[in-house]
Amino acid sequence: DGGITQSPKYLFRKEGQNVTLSCEQNLNHDAMYWYRQDPGQGLRLIYYSQIVNDFQKGDIAEGYSVSREKKESFPLTVTSAQKNPTAFYLCASSMSVAEGEQFFGPGTRLTVL
Amino acid sequence: AQKVTQAQTEISVVEKEDVTLDCVYETRDTTYYLFWYKQPPSGELVFLIRRNSFDEQNEISGRYSWNFQKSTSSFNFTITASQVVDSAVYFCALILNYQLIWGAGTKLIIKP
């Protein structure tokens, strides 16, 4: 089955630690995205990647970093510089960035203690 | 400013009632796409529909229908004969400069 996987579903970390969230897709999509969602809020774009080895900052990139070494994978690192990292993180992919139909993973709920 | 507004934060109806979720957008572009996504309690977003700016025909898919009106910059979503399983947060979005601009979402509660 084609789709997007994110792991783990729930993640707990101590304040001051970096943490990496995994996102893998087998849809052969060129574009991938990371969003943050806070309780009762909409989605905010953190980073997106149009193609392997390329990525651009979204609206709230500060305190986050990404890499795109493989087409299938787009991991997100939440660094200690991110002031309020506790949130729900969603990864998505699409055929291209011009193709707005994005497919989403199940999300990772990160809690920083 | 280019943005998407979903003025209804939360709507609560009794099962089998019809319900309409409003979406108003702003853009200077003449070519754009509009979307609706559903986010059930599990959290994963589910794509519902994409509409391009040149196609103003209304669309119906089972109990779901969409009314796109360019003159009023609106793209409203109606659920007919609502069911408890329709309970979710619904997001309207606009693609602009290769990014999706998201509305804040409308939480829909369907009571049995």
Side-chain angles (χ1 to χ4, degrees):
Chain A
D1 284 332
I4 301 178
T5 57
Q6 289 184 246
S7 60
K9 191 168 178 64
Y10 298 95
L11 189 55
F12 298 87
R13 278 295 181 269
K14 290 184 180 177
E15 197 171 342
Q17 288 182 333
N18 290 358
V19 60
T20 297
L21 280 58
S22 161
C23 178
E24 304 277 332
Q25 55 100 358
N26 61 5
L27 299 167
N28 200 33
H29 285 169
D30 283 322
M32 296 187 75
Y33 312 80
W34 273 106
Y35 291 94
R36 170 181 172 140
Q37 187 178 32
D38 292 287
Q41 304 291 316
L43 280 72
R44 292 186 291 168
L45 182 66
I46 304 172
Y47 269 98
Y48 68 100
S49 167
Q50 298 188 58
I51 202 165
V52 175
N53 293 323
D54 176 76
F55 48 82
Q56 280 81 41
K57 293 182 180 179
D59 301 319
I60 55 164
E62 187 176 346
Y64 299 97
S65 66
V66 293
S67 63
R68 186 88 186 275
E69 296 175 4
K70 297 187 299 181
K71 188 175 186 176
E72 308 80 46
S73 178
F74 191 39
L76 172 74
T77 296
V78 184
T79 75
S80 56
Q82 168 50 231
K83 291 186 174 23
N84 296 299
T86 294
F88 187 51
Y89 291 88
L90 284 157
C91 178
S93 72
S94 63
M95 290 287 289
S96 69
V97 289
E99 190 79 20
E101 182 181 340
Q102 294 180 8
F103 294 83
F104 284 82
T108 292
R109 197 166 298 278
L110 173 65
T111 302
V112 175
L113 306 169
Chain B
Q2 306 189 91
K3 64 179 182 178
V4 175
T5 303
Q6 294 180 257
Q8 304 149 309
T9 305
E10 184 174 306
I11 301 173
S12 180
V13 300
V14 176
E15 198 172 19
K16 296 184 184 168
E17 285 185 18
D18 298 347
V19 58
T20 295
L21 283 60
D22 297 333
C23 173
V24 175
Y25 61 93
E26 292 178 33
T27 177
R28 289 185 293 273
D29 286 21
T30 55
T31 303
Y32 50 88
Y33 289 92
L34 293 160
F35 302 80
W36 276 95
Y37 282 83
K38 173 182 179 179
Q39 187 177 37
S42 61
E44 186 169 346
L45 274 97
V46 178
F47 166 81
L48 295 178
I49 190 171
R50 178 176 73 173
R51 171 67 73 213
N52 78 55
S53 55
F54 296 108
D55 183 0
E56 290 194 67
Q57 279 192 333
N58 291 332
E59 178 146 347
I60 298 174
S61 176
R63 295 183 298 106
Y64 295 173
S65 62
W66 290 269
N67 183 357
F68 176 34
Q69 295 204 350
K70 219 167 171 179
S71 60
T72 55
S73 296
S74 65
F75 186 42
N76 298 337
F77 172 35
T78 297
I79 301 175
T80 304
S82 60
Q83 299 176 2
V84 172
V85 293
D86 296 326
S87 296
V89 179
Y90 291 85
F91 291 96
C92 181
L94 163 72
I95 192 163
L96 211 56
N97 297 327
Y98 305 128
Q99 290 186 29
L100 276 177
I101 311 294
W102 294 85
T106 296
K107 184 175 183 178
L108 178 62
I109 300 169
I110 311 295
K111 299 178 195 171

